[in-house]
């Protein structure tokens, strides 16, 4: 997106230091029912988790998916491992996953049992469109049409 001057920061002027965040590694969601969450997200993402701990036949306490063009990770963690005082209601930060058709994806997530958190919302005139649902396990899942994501992807592949 744009900075406060309305311009897009240049990809050719890195500001990376040893302490500068370089990108998302894992988004973690809590669930009281890990097997049900795994089944739901397997349907949403169209892939099986690549990591399950502990291994079967023990019940899974942590499961990880690798998703999309950059293989970003989504972890599902048994809520019993949440830190003391962790929120149990949806809220806080929304992580948006790029999709090619936010309206169709939003409708699909609702059909799969998600509930509305943010309706389909155009964000200005730059082609950014967002929506979010609360998954059946109480986590907020955002989806977004993001022209910047596509430009970065095209630069990586080109």
């Amino acid at each position: 997106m744009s900075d406060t001057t309305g311009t897009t920061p240049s990809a050719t002027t890195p500001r990376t230091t040893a302490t500068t965040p370089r990108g998302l590694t894992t988004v973690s969601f809590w669930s009281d029912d890990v097997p049900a969450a795994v089944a739901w997200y397997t349907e949403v993402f169209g892939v099986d988790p690549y990591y399950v701990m502990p291994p079967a036949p023990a019940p899974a306490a942590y499961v990880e998916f690798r998703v999309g063009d950059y293989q970003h990770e989504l972890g599902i963690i048994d809520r019993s491992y949440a830190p003391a005082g962790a929120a149990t209601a949806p809220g806080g930060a929304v992580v948006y996953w790029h999709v090619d058709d936010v309206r169709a994806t939003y409708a699909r997530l609702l059909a799969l049992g998600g509930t509305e958190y943010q309706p389909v919302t155009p964000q200005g005139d730059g082609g950014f469109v967002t929506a979010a649902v609360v998954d059946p396990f109480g986590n907020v899942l955002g989806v977004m049409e993001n022209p910047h994501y596509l430009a970065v992807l095209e630069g990586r592949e080109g």
Side-chain angles (χ1 to χ4, degrees), residues 45-59:
F45 292 138
V47 298
D48 291 322
Y50 80 95
Y51 181 81
V52 178
M53 186 51 78

Side-chain angles (χ1 to χ4, degrees), residues 31-131:
S31 177
D32 290 319
D33 187 344
V34 173
V38 169
W40 198 80
Y41 277 97
T42 297
E43 179 69 22
V44 167
F45 292 138
V47 298
D48 291 322
Y50 80 95
Y51 181 81
V52 178
M53 186 51 78
Y62 180 73
V63 176
E64 224 169 60
F65 293 86
R66 286 195 176 144
V67 181
D69 302 308
Y70 294 100
Q71 297 292 286
H72 292 299
E73 295 178 353
L74 174 76
I76 306 292
I77 307 169
D78 186 297
R79 192 176 307 276
S80 67
Y81 292 97
T88 57
V94 177
V95 176
Y96 292 96
W97 297 79
H98 176 80
V99 297
D100 293 328
D101 185 337
V102 77
R103 286 165 181 77
T105 303
Y106 181 67
R108 179 172 177 258
L109 293 172
L110 293 174
L112 289 171
T115 57
E116 182 178 287
Y117 186 80
Q118 175 197 27
V120 173
T121 306
Q123 303 292 345
D125 59 2
F128 296 88
V129 182
T130 60

